[in-house]
Amino acid sequence: MANYKTVTRMTDNGPFIVKLILELPVSVTGNDVNPDVFNVYTVRKEKNGEVLMRAERGAKKAFPSVGYRDVIKAYPCDEKGKKAYRSTYVALEMNEERLGKRIEGNVLASRYLLNEYRITQIKPIPGEEVDVTGLVFDTCIEDICPELIGWENGKSSHSTKPLNYGYFTPKNKDNKKLPLVIWLHGAGEGGDDPLVAYTGNRVTSFSNFDMQMKFGGAAYVLVPQSPTVWMDNGVEKLGKSNESIYSEPLKYLIDEFIKEHEDTIDSSRILITGISNGGFMTIRMLVDYPNFFAGACPGCTPYYVNNLGEKDIEILKDVPIWFTHAKKDELVDPYETSLPLYNMLKEAGNDNVHLSYLDEVIDPTGQYKDELGRPQKLFNHGVWIPMLDDAITLDFDGTRVIEGGESVTLYQWLGKQQLGVKREDKKAPEHSKFMIQL
């Protein structure tokens, strides 16, 4: 028996194991290995060791989440999985598919699983003197996930409601003041595992080079986690009260994080964004803490206009906000939330409020296609997919949003917001000289 490594990739559909790395007793080239040399069997287990029972969509009965995965590519690589001409390591690539998913859950809760593999050699591999046969790999010694480089976990010191959080620290060679981007997760990413909060919806995209450049070259990213859901008002968890028991503990966490990084966080560029349950909390925080956040991007927010407080519009009319919502949202009706709130803010004189009102949510990457080869239509509540791909560009009237004299995407726009700077004076942040951690 031998060891193997897994490689996890953060995708629009969550984290998937897409590669296995095996160490062979002989050195091989690309001519010596191919997808037919090994078969790959996997078992998805709960953390208590029980095999996950799952009913696929449309099925009436749950079955064990076990089976064989197809290997689509096999090649020599280094110990981290990078392709090489000759090596004792071999990488086995697999498609993004259910048996490779590392998270399981529903709209209200998600959890990481134990993905166990048994890789069996079924065809010989040429050796220097004799062919290699009979190899079996059944113990995982490492998971490699490049998107998690620079990410860590923490917990606030609040006396009654301490909150877990994940955060990304960029490299800042020039020791300059950097913006802080706060992401508030949806209902399905709450609980006691902060890793779920920033990987369930590929929030790690905020730490990639392209996204960091949209915030001037480098930005801190903070992802607090709610123990239940942000909409929990102490009586009901998913009501329409627009109240939350987590408002003060969340602000405490944010203030504590800023204090810990006070030399390098620009307090005039505290930016907040989130989706669904977190889209609600984004608005809640703007209302509860005026003149603190420089800009906000709430997605599919369940902040209901029927329960708007008297001060809500008065405060929000002065805050740069870019809403995103789909017309056919299955869970949050835009006619009760984003659409009338956007109209109210426009009428109140907010000249920097926008609404991307999507006909439907379609894969923006071209990676996922339907049976006719067209971009895949997705869950219409899932506006976080185009948001985190930064594919949101159009305002409510169908025109491009202009900021600082140029057309911008959602997060380019957010990166330009700053307290105390008049809109007509805003310019694009200068490209930073410091390098971010990749």
Side-chain angles (χ1 to χ4, degrees), residues 275-287:
I275 47 90
S276 190
N277 207 260
F280 151 79
M281 199 60 178
T282 298
I283 302 297
R284 183 71 260 164
M285 295 300 286
L286 296 178
V287 171

Side-chain angles (χ1 to χ4, degrees), residues 261-379:
H261 302 86
E262 60 183 344
D263 292 336
T264 50
I265 287 181
D266 183 350
S267 60
S268 72
R269 299 185 68 202
I270 310 301
L271 312 168
I272 190 165
T273 179
I275 47 90
S276 190
N277 207 260
F280 151 79
M281 199 60 178
T282 298
I283 302 297
R284 183 71 260 164
M285 295 300 286
L286 296 178
V287 171
D288 288 344
Y289 302 100
N291 303 313
F292 181 80
F293 300 98
C297 294
C300 51
T301 176
Y303 200 88
Y304 291 92
V305 295
N306 285 347
N307 284 317
L308 283 175
E310 292 183 3
K311 65 177 183 178
D312 291 20
I313 297 299
E314 185 62 28
I315 293 172
L316 296 175
K317 71 179 179 62
D318 297 320
V319 183
I321 304 175
W322 188 333
F323 297 92
T324 301
H325 215 129
K327 297 177 183 178
K328 301 175 183 178
D329 190 314
E330 302 90 345
L331 300 181
V332 179
D333 188 346
Y335 282 90
E336 298 179 9
T337 55
S338 299
L339 187 57
L341 183 52
Y342 164 77
N343 287 328
M344 290 176 183
L345 294 178
K346 291 287 284 187
E347 292 173 3
N350 190 329
D351 66 349
N352 200 4
V353 61
H354 311 281
L355 169 59
S356 290
Y357 198 42
L358 311 180
D359 289 327
E360 53 193 352
V361 177
I362 299 176
D363 168 47
T365 67
Q367 180 180 351
Y368 309 102
K369 300 182 184 298
D370 64 17
E371 62 277 3
L372 298 179
R374 299 170 300 191
Q376 183 71 50
K377 292 183 180 181
L378 307 171
F379 181 44

Side-chain angles (χ1 to χ4, degrees), residues 156-159 161-163 246-258 285 289:
S156 75
S157 64
H158 193 276
S159 59
K161 289 187 176 65
L163 302 181
Y246 294 115
S247 181
E248 187 274 332
L250 177 55
K251 181 59 162 53
Y252 184 97
L253 184 161
I254 295 169
D255 288 341
E256 190 172 59
F257 187 83
I258 293 172
M285 295 300 286
Y289 302 100

Side-chain angles (χ1 to χ4, degrees), residues 81-101:
K82 185 178 179 181
K83 187 175 291 189
Y85 172 73
R86 177 182 286 276
S87 176
T88 57
Y89 291 96
V90 170
L92 308 180
E93 285 192 9
M94 300 163 292
N95 282 322
E96 177 187 323
E97 57 189 358
R98 173 63 60 184
L99 284 175
K101 192 167 186 179

